[in-house]
Amino acid sequence: MEPIIQIKDVYYRYAGNEGEETTALDGVSLDIRKGEFVAVIGHNGSGKSTLAKHINGLMLPMSGQVIVKGMDTRDENLIWDIRQVAGMVFQNPDNQLVATIVEEDVAFGPENLAVPPEQIRLRVDDALKAVKMLQFAKSAPHLLSGGQKQRLAIAGIIAMRPEIIILDEPTAMLDPSGRKEVMDTVHYLNEEEGITIVHITHFMEEAIRAHRVVVMEEGRIIMDGPPREIFRQVSELREIGLDVPQIAELAYELKKEGFPITGDPLSTEEMVNILCP
Ligand code: ADP
Ligand code: MG
């Protein structure tokens, strides 16, 4: 089957005030299959957000092509269909909430899609259930915690019945418990609802459970593979200023000191099994 997201040799340059230009995407190609969970990492300015905005047509390639579920993002007639298929969640939950009551906030998207009112009710309840927020349906969004607000933003996207959700550092402003809530929600949507996930993050631990990790550097994709394969390249990642998950780092340091660590553990449990077989 054709990949649900096809990014083909995409270039994008920003024009600065003084006539200087920044190449944000420098020939990026990436195919993502339906149902995949892809984590995108890379330090500040490597082009992650620019890439994310290309996937739902918020930005258009200067050259190259982005095809989402068979639809070319440069086709103006398809842009609303593309945004319905590929929803986006941003870093700051406060900027994404539009209504004063939780359920009204979730209804906003489907209302704009002209979904019939009786179906909206169903979609809102389903979406709130999926993010485990049904009990807050009548609450005021500004009283929620950061993690709850971000789950509400995700519910607003779910109510539009997307097949893809792109999350651009959705946990960056959250405390550890909020981060965990959001990550559990995103994994649930991927595993139970089959939604394709593109998760941009600077927390390496969040990339461990992805099917695939894509590493960006200066507008290019420089690594692409399963988490275990990516995070075994500790010195390469460090060279471009990235961390690795704690356990991967521990394994690397122990190996360097001559400890017989076999395999490439990523979780505490895996490490324990290696050290105490
Ligand atoms: P990331 O999300 O990985 O931090 P971005 O996609 O935001 O990277 O940015 C990629 C490059 O484009 C950076 O060099 C950044 O400074 C530049 N850039 C991003 N947005 C703009 C903009 N609106 N105007 C000019 N340059 C920008
Ligand atoms: Mg960014």
Side-chain angles (χ1 to χ4, degrees), residues 1 7 20 42 70 92-93 114 156 166-167 213:
M1 212 166 63
I7 298 169
E20 83 280 20
N92 188 340
I166 307 138
L167 303 104
V213 178

Side-chain angles (χ1 to χ4, degrees), residues 4-5 32-39 130-132 154 158 162-167 181-199 206-212:
I4 193 163
I5 301 169
I32 296 178
R33 286 182 305 280
K34 192 169 169 53
E36 264 192 305
F37 191 124
V38 178
V131 303
K132 300 197 167 66
I154 294 172
I158 301 287
E163 292 176 56
I164 302 163
I165 302 181
I166 307 138
L167 303 104
E181 286 171 24
V182 168
M183 290 314 294
D184 286 348
T185 301
V186 177
H187 280 285
Y188 169 84
L189 294 173
N190 176 249
E191 285 156 26
E192 304 302 324
E193 315 252 340
I195 296 177
T196 306
I197 302 289
V198 180
H199 178 72
E206 290 180 3
I208 293 177
R209 280 170 70 195
H211 298 130
R212 208 172 142 193

Side-chain angles (χ1 to χ4, degrees), residues 65-111:
Q65 234 183 343
V66 178
I67 315 257
V68 176
K69 208 188 169 190
M71 300 179 280
D72 190 322
T73 57
R74 289 175 311 183
D75 185 338
E76 286 170 24
N77 300 316
L78 297 176
I79 198 67
W80 294 107
D81 292 329
I82 290 169
R83 296 216 182 132
Q84 189 271 310
V85 168
M88 194 144 164
V89 176
F90 297 93
Q91 192 176 93
N92 188 340
D94 290 313
N95 296 346
Q96 300 174 77
L97 306 176
V98 290
T100 51
I101 299 176
V102 164
E103 61 182 9
E104 286 174 8
D105 197 87
V106 180
F108 185 79
E111 274 165 4

Side-chain angles (χ1 to χ4, degrees), residues 14-16 22-24 42-51 168-169:
Y14 291 98
T22 308
T23 302
H43 61 66
N44 274 342
S46 57
K48 304 181 299 298
S49 294
T50 306
L51 181 67
D168 190 356
E169 304 205 24

Side-chain angles (χ1 to χ4, degrees), residues 10-254:
V10 165
Y11 285 80
Y12 191 89
R13 261 171 238 104
Y14 291 98
N17 305 326
E18 317 280 305
E20 83 280 20
E21 292 191 326
T22 308
T23 302
L25 297 178
D26 193 7
V28 170
S29 295
L30 179 66
D31 281 347
I32 296 178
R33 286 182 305 280
K34 192 169 169 53
E36 264 192 305
F37 191 124
V38 178
V40 180
I41 60 176
H43 61 66
N44 274 342
S46 57
K48 304 181 299 298
S49 294
T50 306
L51 181 67
K53 288 178 194 152
H54 273 76
I55 300 177
N56 74 341
L58 276 176
M59 293 178 75
L60 300 176
M62 287 177 168
S63 73
Q65 234 183 343
V66 178
I67 315 257
V68 176
K69 208 188 169 190
M71 300 179 280
D72 190 322
T73 57
R74 289 175 311 183
D75 185 338
E76 286 170 24
N77 300 316
L78 297 176
I79 198 67
W80 294 107
D81 292 329
I82 290 169
R83 296 216 182 132
Q84 189 271 310
V85 168
M88 194 144 164
V89 176
F90 297 93
Q91 192 176 93
N92 188 340
D94 290 313
N95 296 346
Q96 300 174 77
L97 306 176
V98 290
T100 51
I101 299 176
V102 164
E103 61 182 9
E104 286 174 8
D105 197 87
V106 180
F108 185 79
E111 274 165 4
N112 278 334
L113 292 174
V115 173
E118 66 279 8
Q119 274 188 40
I120 290 184
R121 178 77 258 162
L122 265 173
R123 285 191 182 205
V124 168
D125 289 349
D126 280 354
L128 285 173
K129 248 181 247 165
V131 303
K132 300 197 167 66
M133 294 266 298
L134 198 53
Q135 73 272 34
F136 296 107
K138 310 281 182 200
S139 306
H142 73 271
L143 297 178
L144 301 173
S145 72
Q148 289 168 338
K149 282 182 190 167
Q150 212 44 319
R151 279 150 63 206
L152 173 55
I154 294 172
I157 299 293
I158 301 287
M160 297 202 272
R161 304 266 158 100
E163 292 176 56
I164 302 163
I165 302 181
I166 307 138
L167 303 104
D168 190 356
E169 304 205 24
T171 60
M173 303 181 74
L174 306 182
D175 60 17
S177 72
R179 281 173 53 198
K180 182 176 183 319
E181 286 171 24
V182 168
M183 290 314 294
D184 286 348
T185 301
V186 177
H187 280 285
Y188 169 84
L189 294 173
N190 176 249
E191 285 156 26
E192 304 302 324
E193 315 252 340
I195 296 177
T196 306
I197 302 289
V198 180
H199 178 72
I200 297 171
T201 183
H202 66 259
F203 295 109
M204 299 303 130
E205 311 292 331
E206 290 180 3
I208 293 177
R209 280 170 70 195
H211 298 130
R212 208 172 142 193
V213 178
V214 166
V215 184
M216 291 195 70
E217 168 74 354
E218 294 187 345
R220 298 202 179 100
I221 291 175
I222 59 160
M223 293 182 199
D224 178 357
R228 212 177 292 282
E229 230 167 72
I230 300 298
F231 291 127
R232 135 168 95 216
Q233 303 175 58
V234 176
S235 58
E236 290 86 342
L237 289 167
R238 278 188 184 158
E239 221 163 86
I240 58 165
L242 289 179
D243 283 330
V244 295
Q246 263 181 350
I247 297 295
E249 170 144 32
L250 179 60
Y252 175 82
E253 297 297 339
L254 286 173

